Amino acid sequence: MSTTVTSQSGAMLDATAAAGRAALIGYIPLGTPTPDLAIEAITAMLDAGADAVELGVPYTDPGVDGPVVQRAGEAALAAGTRVRDVVRVVEALKAHAPAAPVLVMSYWNPILRYGVDAFARDLAGAGGAGIITPDLIPDEGRDWIAAADTYGLDRVFLAAPSSTPERLRITAKASRGFVYAASVMGVTGTRATVGAAAERLVADTRAAGADHVCVGLGVSTGEQAAQVGAYADGVIVGSALVKTLQTDRPWTQRLDDLQTLTAELAAGVARSRKDA
């Protein structure tokens, strides 16, 4: 790590490791289906066993988002969700669950338009943990790295199965909190199996210097969460959770569905090290 700033995500991952399990990190887009209802959904997810939150910022050109997350982002933008909504949503989530890190996952352009320093300042002021930047590489992230250091935020960069050893070293050195290991090449979405390359990528990323490595893209069941949690510090689930909110069922039933799946995933990570 490049600084001695305390990492919310790192502290959470240390705590779950001490408890003998991986962490469960749940992704919900900011305006799914509105910012206020997203708060309800995320608090329900936290109450059902999620350890941390990825709060997605909807964007018009979502390069790594699969169809489920794309639909959620399009609906959120059409309903008027904007980047400025991040602050009040994060504040509400931290008031509900102060110990749960809330990371914003955003493409770089919305943050650039908001202002890198201003976004970091406002996110930190709301209690946010940091930012996951899927389309920003460390080589081009000097402004963000500086702002993260100024405001004590985690900065999570991505590693892919195609990443070279040198790229992994650069990514591990620049990241704080954890490195996001993409289990497969491609976009987000539920899959029948998690890519076999994920375990090797986690090992290679740790060997490159990463303190914590969390795996995302494809996890959708408790069994998959247990498999990934056996070797990763954290298991990141997005599309499967978002999908529970995209049905025609009454909102309270959708929340029940979200909590049921979250509890299944939490049970998976809870037994992950026992199964290993």
Side-chain angles (χ1 to χ4, degrees):
M1 291 188 185
S2 60
T3 76
T4 58
V5 172
T6 300
S7 163
Q8 286 192 43
S9 303
M12 179 273 296
L13 292 167
D14 286 339
T16 55
R21 65 177 179 86
L24 174 61
I25 303 172
Y27 169 92
I28 298 289
L30 173 63
T32 301
T34 69
D36 289 332
L37 291 178
I39 292 170
E40 291 186 16
I42 296 169
T43 55
M45 184 179 71
L46 289 168
D47 290 346
D51 297 293
V53 175
E54 275 190 34
L55 183 64
V57 174
Y59 184 48
T60 54
D61 188 21
V64 301
D65 292 347
V68 171
V69 175
Q70 282 190 28
R71 285 196 299 271
E74 290 167 359
L77 290 170
T81 301
R82 296 295 180 263
V83 179
R84 61 179 177 271
D85 292 313
V86 165
V87 171
R88 69 181 184 88
V89 172
V90 173
E91 287 175 340
L93 298 176
K94 294 300 291 184
H96 180 80
V102 180
L103 295 119
V104 171
M105 187 167 190
S106 177
Y107 294 95
W108 190 236
N109 191 55
I111 295 174
L112 197 62
R113 290 179 63 84
Y114 190 104
V116 177
D117 190 81
F119 189 85
R121 177 200 65 212
D122 293 349
L123 179 60
I131 309 175
I132 302 167
T133 51
D135 63 342
L136 180 72
I137 58 175
D139 320 54
E140 299 172 357
R142 180 173 58 184
D143 290 346
W144 160 228
I145 290 170
D149 285 343
T150 297
Y151 296 102
L153 294 170
D154 292 346
R155 46 178 187 258
V156 179
F157 292 102
L158 270 65
S162 62
S163 297
T164 65
E166 177 61 19
R167 174 53 53 188
L168 290 177
R169 284 191 291 271
I170 292 170
T171 301
K173 182 177 180 180
S175 295
R176 179 167 55 236
F178 60 91
V179 173
Y180 187 125
S183 65
V184 294
M185 301 297 291
V187 299
T188 62
T190 60
R191 291 176 171 84
T193 60
V194 179
E199 187 170 1
R200 170 53 56 191
L201 177 58
V202 169
D204 290 346
T205 306
R206 287 191 180 126
D211 293 332
H212 303 99
V213 186
C214 299
V215 171
L217 273 67
V219 176
S220 59
T221 68
E223 182 59 33
Q224 290 174 339
Q227 292 170 2
V228 174
Y231 57 80
D233 296 289
V235 179
I236 302 168
V237 182
S239 295
L241 293 169
V242 176
K243 191 180 294 186
T244 66
L245 303 174
Q246 292 180 326
T247 70
D248 294 329
R249 288 159 63 83
W251 179 245
T252 55
Q253 292 181 23
R254 283 184 265 173
L255 292 180
D256 288 343
D257 293 342
L258 175 66
Q259 288 198 304
T260 297
L261 178 56
T262 302
E264 177 191 336
L265 295 163
V269 298
R271 70 174 186 270
S272 58
R273 307 293 164 83
K274 298 181 178 66
D275 292 347

